[in-house]
Amino acid sequence: SYVLTQPPSVSVAPGETARITCGGNNIGSKSVHWYQQKPGQGPVLVIHYDRARPSGIPERFSGSNSGSTATLTISRVEAGDEADYYCQVCENSSDHPVFGGGTKLTVL
Amino acid sequence: EMQLVESGGGLVQPGGSLRLSCAASGFIFTDYWVHWVRQAPGKGLVWVSRINGDGSNVVYADFVKGRFTISRDNADNTVSLQMSTLSPEDTAVYYCARGSGSGSYRHFDSWGQGTLVTVSS
C-alpha cells in the first residue's frame, strides 16, 4: 500500500512560517489534501487538491506538491494554529484514502 | 450549517458487537458519499469504509472486511456502521466524514466530533 511520511513534529515561533512536509513515491502525480486536528476535535480540511483553500480557511494556509514531496505552508503562524496536521491521498489501484502519520505543530 | 453527529460508542468486550450512527443535517444527504475514519488513542487517522449516496456501493478497508457493515437510511439522513467480532485493536475514536471529489481525488470536506469505542474485558 502507498505510504505517506510526515515529520512527527515541527516547531515555529509566532509570526514565522511553518512548513510541514508529506513524502511519498511520485506524490507529485497525486492530489494531496491536508487536515488540521486540534485536541478533542474532529479534523478540519485546510487544503485540498494540492493547493486550494476551502471556504473559511485563512490565506495564511497554502500548499504545494511536486516530485516526491507535498508541503503545507502556514505563514505568520499564530498560537491558534497549534494542532496536528495530516496529509491524505488516494491509492491508485483501489481509491482507498491513505493518511500520513501526522505532524504536531508547536508554536513556541 | 452542515453537521455530522456520531453516536453509539462505548465499552464492549472482545468478540462483541456495536452499532455506530452518524446523523447528518444541513446539506442534501443523498448527493454525498459518507465515510468512517478511525483514530486509535494517540495515533493517526485510518480510513475504514465508505458508502455512496443511494447506498448501492460500499467499500471497506481490508482490516474490517467481513466484520463491519456500513449502511444508510436516506429517509432519516443517517449512516450506520455495524461492527462485530471486535478486538482491542479496534479501540479508537470513530469519525464520520462527508466525502468530496471522486476516484483518486477523494477526500473529506466535513467531519463529525467522533465517538469513542473501547474494546476491553
Side-chain angles (χ1 to χ4, degrees), chain B residues 7 12 18-19 29 35 45 66 68 70 85 87 106 110-111:
Chain B
S7 61
V12 60
L18 204 61
R19 186 177 184 90
F29 187 59
H35 301 247
L45 302 169
F68 290 11
I70 191 172
T85 320
S87 73
R106 293 183 194 279
S110 188
W111 299 63

Side-chain angles (χ1 to χ4, degrees), chain A residues 35 37 43 48 86 88 95, chain B residues 39 50 95 106-108 111:
Chain A
Y35 305 89
Q37 185 181 33
H48 56 175
Y86 294 89
Q88 178 251 313
D95 293 342
Chain B
Q39 186 172 36
R50 66 175 181 250
Y95 296 99
R106 293 183 194 279
H107 60 287
F108 316 100
W111 299 63

Side-chain angles (χ1 to χ4, degrees), chain A residues 2-6 20-35 45-54 62-72 85-91 98-100, chain B residues 104-108:
Chain A
Y2 192 79
V3 176
L4 293 172
T5 301
Q6 297 182 236
I20 298 172
T21 58
C22 177
N25 183 33
N26 197 28
I27 195 174
S29 68
K30 296 182 176 295
S31 187
V32 180
H33 318 285
W34 291 91
Y35 305 89
L45 179 68
V46 293
I47 291 289
H48 56 175
Y49 304 110
D50 294 343
R51 59 180 64 249
R53 275 179 295 104
S62 62
S64 63
N65 183 20
S66 177
S68 60
T69 305
T71 303
L72 171 69
Y85 291 85
Y86 294 89
C87 58
Q88 178 251 313
V89 301
C90 279
E91 291 192 289
V98 175
F99 293 92
Chain B
S104 60
Y105 297 92
R106 293 183 194 279
H107 60 287
F108 316 100

Side-chain angles (χ1 to χ4, degrees), chain B residues 22-95:
Chain B
C22 171
S25 60
F27 63 98
I28 302 173
F29 187 59
T30 52
D31 281 355
Y32 291 88
W33 288 76
V34 175
H35 301 247
W36 287 96
V37 177
R38 74 184 188 182
Q39 186 172 36
K43 302 297 184 181
L45 302 169
V46 178
W47 175 79
V48 174
S49 181
R50 66 175 181 250
I51 186 167
N52 70 337
D54 66 8
S56 63
N57 190 339
V58 299
V59 184
Y60 300 96
D62 286 346
F63 60 86
V64 302
K65 271 183 190 174
R67 298 191 302 125
F68 290 11
T69 302
I70 191 172
S71 61
R72 67 192 293 161
D73 182 344
N74 286 342
D76 243 356
N77 283 13
T78 58
V79 171
S80 296
L81 187 68
Q82 178 67 45
M83 306 185 295
S84 62
T85 320
L86 287 163
S87 73
E89 290 69 39
D90 296 312
T91 294
V93 174
Y94 285 74
Y95 296 99

